[in-house]
Amino acid sequence: MASIALPAAPTSGKMRPLNIIRDLPNVADLIELCFASTMDADGRNYLDQMREHARDNRFLAWAPRMIDSISLPLSGFVWEEAGQIIGNVSLIPFFKWGKRIYLIANVATHPEQRRRGIARQLTQAAITRAREKRADAIWLHVRSDNPGAIALYHELGFIERARRTQWFARPNQDIPALINPPATIRTRTSPDWNLQRGWLDHCYPPELGWYFQQTWDFLQPGLLGGLLRVLSEDQISQWSVLRDGMLKGVLSVQESYRSTVQAWLACPPHAESATLATLLSHGRHAFSGKRSISLDVPASLGEAAFHAAGFTAQRTLIWMETPGKG
């Protein structure tokens, strides 16, 4: 890899641990300033929650005791200069399969203070803190259109593990009409589950299971799946697409309290574009005029099908990992 010129270490200001009692509003303002142009509705809700938490004395009394126990951005570092927070990094713990995994997130530097090495020092501090906490692995994700950040993370020892695209469709967007669709749609049935379950591991690989926090049991047919769906209070709709009598994919749509409906796609690695477009279009029609739909899938999967069904690629993220404890 070609070498790049490294910015000099900042000569003013200081880095310190995040203080959630007093820093949350300022951190929310910084994140909004840095990412407003690419932020979706859920991202804006996230900032609203940060500001609401900053006004909630019960949350502020409870949260410091739970920093290392729950997957919330309660820990991290800020860069402060002249009384203003101009840099931030969050460190979020996840627990899965008996392992402790930390996600580095919300790496932000004020636009007028970039190219000073602040993001580098904040990220290095987060890596060191995660290793001190005996992390088994440390992850982060970065937009594929941010070459500067990608180069920085490579230099800090992160290795690319996956690329994933988030597709998005709004309810007021036109839904393309598919002429003579080459496949048929029906409600998902119990015999479909074996193929669906295997395809889910392709679309949502186990190495990222700590982040998706899904066991997929809530999608399976039978008593257990039905019970889990009742307990979650989410409404689950599932459809299968068939071509020449053979199952080619399953779309599961999960309605919850979120402003955007979350959908889960299960299909083979080289799914037929026209068949997949039929399934995606059906899902959009089912929620026409209701709520937006979001899917997160491997970046190489079904680009033409998503476009044909009227989805827009919101962002592609590169998932990167570096070792935790030695």
Side-chain angles (χ1 to χ4, degrees), residues 71-87:
S71 299
L72 288 175
L74 304 178
S75 176
F77 296 89
V78 297
W79 192 277
E80 189 173 40
E81 194 165 291
Q84 180 183 10
I85 291 178
I86 62 171

Side-chain angles (χ1 to χ4, degrees), residues 209-253:
W210 58 268
Y211 179 77
F212 293 118
Q213 296 286 298
Q214 297 290 3
T215 64
W216 306 124
D217 290 339
F218 77 108
L219 296 180
Q220 74 176 9
L223 182 60
L224 175 60
L227 178 61
L228 291 175
R229 289 189 286 275
V230 170
L231 292 175
S232 71
E233 298 184 352
D234 291 346
Q235 178 67 40
I236 307 292
S237 301
Q238 300 192 76
W239 304 282
S240 297
V241 61
L242 296 89
R243 184 168 186 175
D244 300 326
M246 298 182 62
L247 182 67
K248 296 296 183 179
V250 179
L251 182 67
S252 306
V253 177

Side-chain angles (χ1 to χ4, degrees), residues 171-309:
N172 58 351
Q173 288 177 322
D174 292 337
I175 304 175
L178 298 180
I179 301 174
N180 298 322
T184 58
I185 303 291
R186 61 163 167 75
T187 301
R188 198 283 312 269
T189 62
S190 295
D192 297 341
W193 174 244
N194 286 338
L195 279 176
Q196 179 188 3
R197 181 64 185 82
W199 290 337
L200 284 167
D201 280 343
H202 161 67
C203 293
Y204 308 93
E207 67 176 357
L208 287 175
W210 58 268
Y211 179 77
F212 293 118
Q213 296 286 298
Q214 297 290 3
T215 64
W216 306 124
D217 290 339
F218 77 108
L219 296 180
Q220 74 176 9
L223 182 60
L224 175 60
L227 178 61
L228 291 175
R229 289 189 286 275
V230 170
L231 292 175
S232 71
E233 298 184 352
D234 291 346
Q235 178 67 40
I236 307 292
S237 301
Q238 300 192 76
W239 304 282
S240 297
V241 61
L242 296 89
R243 184 168 186 175
D244 300 326
M246 298 182 62
L247 182 67
K248 296 296 183 179
V250 179
L251 182 67
S252 306
V253 177
Q254 182 178 8
E255 297 182 76
S256 65
Y257 66 90
R258 298 177 62 186
S259 60
T260 300
V261 172
Q262 180 66 52
W264 309 95
L265 179 63
C267 65
H270 304 290
E272 300 165 344
S273 181
T275 303
L276 190 57
T278 302
L279 178 61
L280 294 169
S281 294
H282 181 86
R284 286 205 60 203
H285 277 287
F287 286 88
S288 177
K290 296 181 181 179
R291 297 164 69 182
S292 300
I293 301 178
S294 176
L295 291 96
D296 183 295
V297 297
S300 59
L301 180 65
E303 182 174 343
F306 278 99
H307 284 304

Side-chain angles (χ1 to χ4, degrees), residues 86-102:
I86 62 171
N88 177 77
V89 64
S90 299
L91 195 58
I92 307 174
F94 290 81
F95 304 95
K96 191 80 171 180
W97 312 300
K99 294 184 177 180
R100 180 187 295 267
I101 298 170
Y102 278 89

